[in-house]
C-alpha cells in the first residue's frame, strides 16, 4: 500500500518558495494532518471528472471535498462546461449589465424563498461582508452576533472564533483585525439560544445590527441545528429588531433546493450564497427582503460594488448548474446516498469499537471521532484529533479523498454511486481496523 507522490512533492517544494504556505487558501494545506514532524504533501490535482479527482502523479481519488461544496453535479458536468464554452465565445467581461445576470437573479429569487432581491458578487466572503454592511447601514447599529466555529469568510468582522481554516490551524483569528472591529463581533455557542439573548443584553438591546449564522454549520465539521433553534433565532431577532442573516454558502442548494431556510421553514431577513451558485466558477450572492436590499447603492445609500460581479462566465456556469439541479431534483436520491454513507461508516466504526459519530443532511456529510453528539464548536474540538489524522491518511492511501481537517463537511454529488459509497465504507472498515 502507499501512493507515489513524487511529482506532487516536487511541486510542493516549488510552491512553498513562492506561495505562502504553498497554497492559495489555507484549508488546502495538509499541515494539520502531518503524521511525522514533516508537513504532509497535498496531492496536486490535474483534472477531475464525475466523482473523481486525479493528481499529477496519476493517482485517482474518490472525492468527498467537491471543491468545498459547489460540485453538486460532479466535476466537469457537461451542462456546465458547455455553458461556459458557449459564453466564452461572446467575451469574458463587460463591466456592464447583461440579460444573463437578470435571468440568473430571477432564478435565484424563484428558488430561494427568502430572496426578494439579490446582488451578485464573486465569493462567499464578499457576500457576507456586504450583507453585514447593509445590515449596519439600515439599522444604524454596529454589533454583529455570530456563532463559535461558524465561518463566514475572511473579512475582519467574522474571524473571531471562526471555523474552517482558522479552526483547522488553531489560529487566534484576530491578528491583522483592528481591535475596535473585533470588539463589535460577539461570538456565542451554536445551538444555545440563551447565549444569544445574553449577547444582546451585553451589547445593549438596540445595538446589534445583525445575527449571522450557518443554519447548518459545515465549517466546524457538520453540526445539525437542534429542533427549534433556528426558529428561536428568528424570534430573538424579531424582538430586538436584528437583521437575521443565514449564511448558506455551505448549506445552500445542499440541504434542499431552497436551502436551510426552506428545509427548516424559517425565513431569514437576508441570505448569503457562495461558490455553490457558480458551478465551480467564482460567484456569490447576497439578498433578502426588498425593503433592505433597496438600501444598496445606487438605489440607496449603502455602498457595495464589484467590476467582475455578474461576470458572464460565472453567470453562465451558475445558471447551467442551477437549471440542471432544478430539472433533475436530485435531493431525494442524494439524501438516500448520504444515509447509506452515514450508516455504513457508523457500522464500520462500531465494528472496530472506534468512538465515532457520522451524520448527514441533504448531500452534506460529517464525522467526528467522539462518542457524544456534537452540538457546537466546543464539542467538535473535544473529538479525537489524532485519530482523525490517522484515519485521513488510511483513507487517502485507499484512494478516498476527504477534507484534510476535522472542521470541514464532506459533500456528495449526483455523480457518486452506491458502488462508490460501498467502496468508501470498505476502505473505512480497513482504516478503522488499522487505527483502532
Ligand atoms: N468554506 C470553505 C471551507 N470550509 C472555504 C474554502 C477555503 O477557505 O478555501
Amino acid at each position: 500500500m502507499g501512493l507515489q507522490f513524487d511529482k506532487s512533492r516536487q511541486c510542493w517544494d516549488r510552491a512553498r518558495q513562492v506561495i505562502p504556505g504553498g497554497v492559495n487558501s489555507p484549508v488546502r494545506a495538509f499541515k494539520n494532518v502531518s503524521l511525522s514532524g514533516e508537513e504532509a504533501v497535498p496531492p496536486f490535482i490535474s483534472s477531475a471528472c464525475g466523482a473523481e479527482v486525479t493528481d499529477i502523479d496519476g493517482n485517482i481519488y474518490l472525492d468527498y471535498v467537491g471543491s468545498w461544496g459547489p460540485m453538486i453535479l460532479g466535476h466537469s458536468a457537461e451542462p456546465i462546461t458547455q455553458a461556459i464554452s458557449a459564453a466564452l465565445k461572446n467575451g469574458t467581461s463587460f463591466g456592464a449589465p447583461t440579460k444573463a445576470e437578470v435571468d440568473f437573479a430571477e432564478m435565484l429569487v424563484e428558488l430561494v424563498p427568502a430572496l426578494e432581491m439579490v446582488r451578485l458578487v464573486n465569493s462567499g466572503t464578499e457576500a457576507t461582508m456586504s450583507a453585514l454592511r447593509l445590515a449596519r447601514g439600515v439599522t444604524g447599529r454596529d454589533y454583529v452576533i455570530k456563532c463559535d466555529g461558524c465561518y463566514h469568510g475572511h473579512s475582519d468582522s467574522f474571524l473571531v472564533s471562526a471555523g474552517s481554516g482558522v479552526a483547522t490551524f488553531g489560529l487566534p483569528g484576530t491578528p491583522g483585525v483592528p481591535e475596535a472591529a473585533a470588539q463589535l463581533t460577539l461570538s456565542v455557542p451554536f445551538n444555545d439560544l440563551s447565549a444569544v439573548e445574553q449577547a444582546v443584553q451585553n451589547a445593549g438591546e438596540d445595538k446589534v445590527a445583525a445575527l449571522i449564522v450557518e443554519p447548518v454549520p459545515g465549517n466546524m465539521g457538520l453540526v445539525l441545528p437542534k429542533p427549534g433553534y433556528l426558529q428561536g433565532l428568528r424570534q430573538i431577532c424579531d424582538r430586538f429588531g436584528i437583521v437575521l442573516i443565514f449564511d448558506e454558502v455551505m448549506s445552500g442548494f445542499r440541504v434542499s433546493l431552497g436551502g436551510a431556510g426552506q428545509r427548516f421553514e424559517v425565513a431569514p431577513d437576508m441570505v448569503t450564497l457562495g461558490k455553490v451558485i457558480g458551478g465551480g466558477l467564482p460567484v456569490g450572492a447576497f439578498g433578502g427582503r426588498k425593503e433592505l436590499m433597496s438600501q444598496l447603492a445606487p438605489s440607496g445609500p449603502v455602498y457595495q460594488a464589484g467590476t467582475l460581479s455578474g461576470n458572464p462566465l460565472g453567470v453562465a456556469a451558475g445558471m447551467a448548474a442551477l437549471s440542471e439541479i432544478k430539472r433533475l431534483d436530485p435531493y431525494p436520491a442524494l439524501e438516500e446516498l448520504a444515509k447509506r454513507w452515514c450508516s455504513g461508516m457508523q457500522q464500520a466504526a462500531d465494528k472496530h469499537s472506534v468512538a465515532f459519530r457520522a451524520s448527514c443532511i441533504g448531500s452534506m456529510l460529517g464525522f467526528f471521532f467522539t462518542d457524544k453528539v456534537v452540538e457546537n464548536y466546543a464539542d467538535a474540538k473535544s473529538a479525537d484529533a489524532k485519530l482523525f489524522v490517522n484515519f485521513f491518511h488510511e483513507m487517502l492511501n485507499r484512494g478516498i479523498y476527504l477534507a484534510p481537517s476535522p472542521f470541514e463537511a464532506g459533500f456528495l454529488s449526483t455523480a457518486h454511486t452506491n458502488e462508490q459509497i460501498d467502496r468508501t465504507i470498505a476502505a473505512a472498515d480497513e482504516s478503522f481496523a488499522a487505527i483502532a
Side-chain angles (χ1 to χ4, degrees):
M1 204 178 62
L3 305 176
Q4 291 306 309
F5 292 112
D6 295 349
K7 289 184 182 160
S8 280
R9 195 176 300 280
Q10 282 165 18
C11 245
W12 180 236
D13 289 340
R14 287 172 50 209
R16 281 186 298 176
Q17 301 306 312
V18 289
I19 303 174
V23 288
N24 280 313
S25 194
V27 297
R28 300 174 196 176
F30 276 24
K31 190 173 176 178
N32 194 46
V33 289
S34 297
L35 284 170
S36 54
E38 205 187 328
E39 189 169 340
V41 176
F44 281 64
I45 303 303
S46 54
S47 65
C49 188
E52 293 180 330
V53 293
T54 302
D55 72 17
I56 56 176
D57 288 284
N59 302 305
I60 299 173
Y61 309 90
L62 180 54
D63 181 27
Y64 285 100
V65 176
S67 189
W68 307 94
M71 295 302 158
I72 297 183
L73 298 170
H75 293 281
S76 309
E78 237 177 75
I80 299 177
T81 53
Q82 279 177 2
I84 296 170
S85 299
L88 192 54
K89 295 193 181 89
N90 297 325
T92 53
S93 178
F94 316 127
T98 64
K99 176 181 172 294
E101 69 187 355
V102 183
D103 294 339
F104 192 44
E106 284 174 351
M107 167 79 104
L108 289 167
V109 166
E110 178 201 329
L111 297 182
V112 181
L115 297 182
E116 290 175 4
M117 284 188 122
V118 65
R119 178 162 280 175
L120 298 179
V121 292
N122 301 288
S123 69
T125 290
E126 269 188 67
T128 54
M129 63 185 251
S130 305
L132 177 58
R133 162 92 47 80
L134 182 57
R136 284 176 164 156
V138 295
T139 59
R141 303 170 176 184
D142 289 340
Y143 281 94
V144 58
I145 298 176
K146 69 175 284 290
C147 291
D148 302 334
C150 281
Y151 179 73
H152 306 291
H154 62 278
S155 72
D156 284 357
S157 301
F158 300 126
L159 289 179
V160 177
S161 199
S164 193
V166 179
T168 300
F169 303 110
L171 303 173
T174 50
V177 176
E179 202 182 318
Q183 277 176 356
L184 293 175
T185 302
L186 308 174
S187 195
V188 298
F190 185 73
N191 268 330
D192 183 346
L193 290 173
S194 59
V196 176
E197 298 241 16
Q198 190 57 56
V200 175
Q201 297 307 329
N202 291 348
E205 288 192 359
D206 58 351
K207 296 283 187 272
V208 180
L211 191 161
I212 187 167
V213 68
E214 290 182 78
V216 179
N219 286 294
M220 51 175 135
L222 178 64
V223 175
L224 302 179
K226 285 203 260 190
Y229 176 67
L230 299 174
Q231 286 81 356
L233 293 180
R234 178 67 275 173
Q235 284 162 11
I236 293 172
C237 287
D238 285 344
R239 190 141 46 96
F240 297 107
I242 298 168
V243 176
L244 177 61
I245 305 171
F246 276 5
D247 179 353
E248 299 236 36
V249 167
M250 297 276 105
S251 55
F253 296 92
R254 280 282 169 191
V255 302
S256 81
L257 184 61
Q262 182 177 67
R263 182 164 179 141
F264 292 98
E265 297 179 354
V266 178
D269 299 300
M270 296 186 72
V271 175
T272 55
L273 294 160
K275 48 206 156 230
V276 74
I277 62 165
L281 292 195
V283 183
F286 67 104
R289 291 195 286 115
K290 207 168 249 182
E291 152 202 352
L292 294 175
M293 291 301 288
S294 53
Q295 292 304 309
L296 273 182
S299 52
V302 181
Y303 203 72
Q304 184 280 334
T307 301
L308 289 174
S309 298
N311 171 267
L313 299 190
V315 165
M319 190 71 181
L322 299 191
S323 307
E324 186 65 359
I325 290 167
K326 183 181 164 200
R327 187 185 72 78
L328 288 176
D329 184 19
Y331 293 95
L334 283 169
E335 191 115 18
E336 276 313 301
L337 213 55
K339 284 184 186 153
R340 187 184 185 101
W341 178 93
C342 198
S343 62
M345 293 289 281
Q346 190 65 54
Q347 278 168 25
D350 293 348
K351 179 176 152 193
H352 298 286
S353 304
V354 175
F356 183 85
R357 287 272 178 169
S359 61
C360 64
I361 178 169
S363 55
M364 296 175 78
L365 310 173
F367 64 88
F368 291 100
F369 283 90
T370 179
D371 51 15
K372 67 191 275 199
V373 177
V374 173
E375 292 183 346
N376 56 37
Y377 186 38
D379 294 341
K381 282 197 293 188
S382 72
D384 193 322
K386 183 86 179 64
L387 273 186
F388 175 86
V389 172
N390 293 340
F391 181 74
F392 170 83
H393 284 286
E394 292 292 337
M395 292 293 274
L396 190 70
N397 276 322
R398 289 173 174 81
I400 310 294
Y401 188 78
L402 302 169
S405 166
F407 302 114
E408 298 288 355
F411 297 99
L412 287 174
S413 72
T414 55
H416 285 80
T417 63
N418 281 336
E419 182 277 328
Q420 288 171 328
I421 300 296
D422 293 347
R423 179 149 62 84
T424 306
I425 293 163
D429 186 21
E430 291 176 10
S431 299
F432 286 128
I435 65 168

